[in-house]
């Protein structure tokens, strides 16, 4: 059976301050807080679609930092579905400075199985500059506790933040890998209206990443996590009309993950000297290899490559086999 998330967004709830990049209403497309009834409605709607192993996911805010009674009311609404097995567990996202033994014991009692931490960076200078309100050490401590209590650990990082660099992002990735999470999400920074980054951008103090900048960096980050056995479950923000309307600058594209995979495959070809090659590719990866509007094809031609593309089921998805002709 396929795995599916029943996503319930809790925008801004619990956040002790507003980070430099944050406009949760725009990111989630939602301003009001969900009620226990909203949780039940979302689950009942999802369960009408058969063939999925569902997990309830409370995203968007800092779940363990919201008012305790409200947090428990949302978890309580999920309990009938946990107990009858129609939902396999609960995933939450939160801040590293709102994790302790007491809250972890509560989460365990209510059927939470996975906790994602918004680390964003493991560089304290970057964290301070972007008003995160926590340190890299707190990410490490919270991650250790989460694993100690038997939860699946997920970590989220961002690229292109104010005062961040590619070198710092690679160091962040190394430090995240050392914490051995099960999953990672990578979010290139998008500058949204009404944020501190938008002010810095308007004053020309902050220069955000372009899509190409972020994609090139992610081609370095992705294999680091994959070789460590860590699954990257998201590259880039989910597309929404609110983001498109409120974006000022930055590395947003509705198919950012595919752009990264396309760049990754292109770099594999460029590792060979110009010449004539036959490239074997899985049918599901042809469009990624050729690039948006055959961008990779034309680029390779300009660089002196003569490529014959052969579709083959014997090659794994997103892998290629290169043979010189």
């Amino acid at each position: 059976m396929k795995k599916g998330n029943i996503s319930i967004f809790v925008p801004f709830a619990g956040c002790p301050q507003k980070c430099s990049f944050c406009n949760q209403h725009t990111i989630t497309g939602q301003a009001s807080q969900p009620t226990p009834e909203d949780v039940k409605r979302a689950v009942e709607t999802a369960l009408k679609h058969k063939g999925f192993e569902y997990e309830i996911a409370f995203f968007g805010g800092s779940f363990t930092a919201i008012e305790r009674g409200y947090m428990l009311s949302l978890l309580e609404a999920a309990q009938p579905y946990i107990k009858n097995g129609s939902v396999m567990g609960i995933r939450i996202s939160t801040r590293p400075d709102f994790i302790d033994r007491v809250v972890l014991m509560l989460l365990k009692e209510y059927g939470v199985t996975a906790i994602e931490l918004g680390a964003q960076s493991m560089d304290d200078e970057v964290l301070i500059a972007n008003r995160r309100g926590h340190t890299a050490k707190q990410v490490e401590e919270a991650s250790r506790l989460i694993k100690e209590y038997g939860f699946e650990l997920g970590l989220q990082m961002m690229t292109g933040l104010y005062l961040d660099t590619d070198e710092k992002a690679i160091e962040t990735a190394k430090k995240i890998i050392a914490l051995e999470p099960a999953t990672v999400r990578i979010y290139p920074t998008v500058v949204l209206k009404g944020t501190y980054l938008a002010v810095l951008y308007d004053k020309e103090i902050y220069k955000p990443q372009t899509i190409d900048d972020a994609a090139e960096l992610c081609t370095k980050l992705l294999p680091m996590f994959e070789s460590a056995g860590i699954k990257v479950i998201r590259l880039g923000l989910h597309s929404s009309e609110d983001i498109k309307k409120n974006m000022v600058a930055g590395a947003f594209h509705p198919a950012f993950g595919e752009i990264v995979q396309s760049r990754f495959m292109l770099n594999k070809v460029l590792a060979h000297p110009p010449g004539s090659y036959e490239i074997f590719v899985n049918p599901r990866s042809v469009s990624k290899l050729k690039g948006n509007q055959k961008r990779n094809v034309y680029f390779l031609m300009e660089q002196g490559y003569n490529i014959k593309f052969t579709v083959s089921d014997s090659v794994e998805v997103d892998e290629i086999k290169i043979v010189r002709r």
Side-chain angles (χ1 to χ4, degrees), residues 8-19 21-22 24 28 33-34 58-68 70-72 74 91-99 103 107 115-120 131-134 156:
I8 298 157
F9 292 99
V10 193
F12 276 128
C15 295
Q17 73 278 318
K18 189 176 179 182
C19 302
F21 51 84
C22 192
Q24 280 289 347
T28 65
Q33 304 300 331
F58 290 107
F59 286 148
S62 298
F63 192 73
T64 58
I66 64 179
E67 192 275 322
R68 187 58 51 88
Y70 175 49
M71 183 188 86
L72 294 180
L74 297 177
R91 174 179 294 268
I92 68 159
S93 65
T94 192
R95 295 170 55 89
D97 48 337
F98 281 86
I99 288 291
V103 78
L107 296 177
I115 300 174
E116 293 191 28
L117 294 180
Q120 317 314 5
R131 303 179 171 182
R132 280 296 292 167
H134 66 78
Q156 301 168 5

Side-chain angles (χ1 to χ4, degrees), residues 47-278:
L47 291 180
K48 291 176 184 177
H49 303 281
K50 306 300 181 183
F52 288 89
E53 285 187 345
Y54 281 110
E55 184 178 62
I56 297 171
F58 290 107
F59 286 148
S62 298
F63 192 73
T64 58
I66 64 179
E67 192 275 322
R68 187 58 51 88
Y70 175 49
M71 183 188 86
L72 294 180
S73 73
L74 297 177
L75 291 172
E76 190 64 45
Q79 293 313 291
Y81 308 101
I82 298 290
K83 289 174 181 175
N84 67 21
S86 56
V87 170
M88 304 308 294
I90 300 172
R91 174 179 294 268
I92 68 159
S93 65
T94 192
R95 295 170 55 89
D97 48 337
F98 281 86
I99 288 291
D100 58 33
R101 293 183 183 277
V102 173
V103 78
L104 290 174
M105 288 174 67
L106 265 178
L107 296 177
K108 180 70 74 174
E109 181 182 339
Y110 278 89
V112 173
T113 48
I115 300 174
E116 293 191 28
L117 294 180
Q120 317 314 5
S121 175
M122 294 298 284
D123 184 287
D124 283 336
E125 181 186 31
V126 174
L127 293 173
I128 291 168
N130 290 277
R131 303 179 171 182
R132 280 296 292 167
H134 66 78
T135 64
K137 184 176 173 62
Q138 285 174 299
V139 176
E140 294 170 353
E141 292 170 345
S143 297
R144 188 185 69 254
L145 272 180
I146 287 166
K147 294 183 71 175
E148 180 183 324
Y149 275 76
F151 295 95
E152 178 187 292
L153 171 66
L155 289 170
Q156 301 168 5
M157 71 172 286
M158 296 179 67
T159 67
L161 286 167
Y162 178 44
L163 297 190
D164 201 7
T165 63
D166 285 5
E167 292 74 25
K168 287 183 178 182
I170 289 169
E171 285 304 309
T172 284
K174 289 177 181 177
K175 290 177 181 178
I176 285 176
I177 289 167
L179 296 173
E180 299 182 327
T183 62
V184 164
R185 297 178 194 260
I186 305 174
Y187 295 118
T189 301
V190 179
V191 183
L192 300 170
K193 294 176 184 175
T195 64
Y196 178 55
L197 284 187
V199 174
L200 296 178
Y201 175 70
D202 286 341
K203 293 180 177 179
E204 299 185 351
I205 296 171
Y206 164 64
K207 183 180 179 182
Q209 282 181 317
T210 65
I211 293 171
D212 281 344
D213 292 337
E216 187 60 35
L217 173 58
C218 285
T219 62
K220 299 181 178 75
L221 299 177
L222 193 59
M224 289 173 65
F225 290 116
E226 289 179 343
S227 64
I230 298 167
K231 188 175 181 181
V232 177
I233 58 176
R234 184 71 196 176
L235 278 169
L237 287 173
H238 288 275
S239 181
S240 76
E241 287 306 311
D242 279 331
I243 288 177
K244 291 174 184 176
K245 284 189 295 186
N246 290 283
M247 175 181 163
V248 176
F252 173 74
H253 190 283
F256 181 75
E258 185 160 323
I259 289 173
V260 173
Q261 289 288 356
S262 178
R263 181 69 64 89
F264 191 61
M265 295 168 88
L266 174 62
N267 287 347
K268 286 185 176 180
V269 181
L270 293 175
H272 295 73
S276 295
Y277 297 92
E278 184 172 7

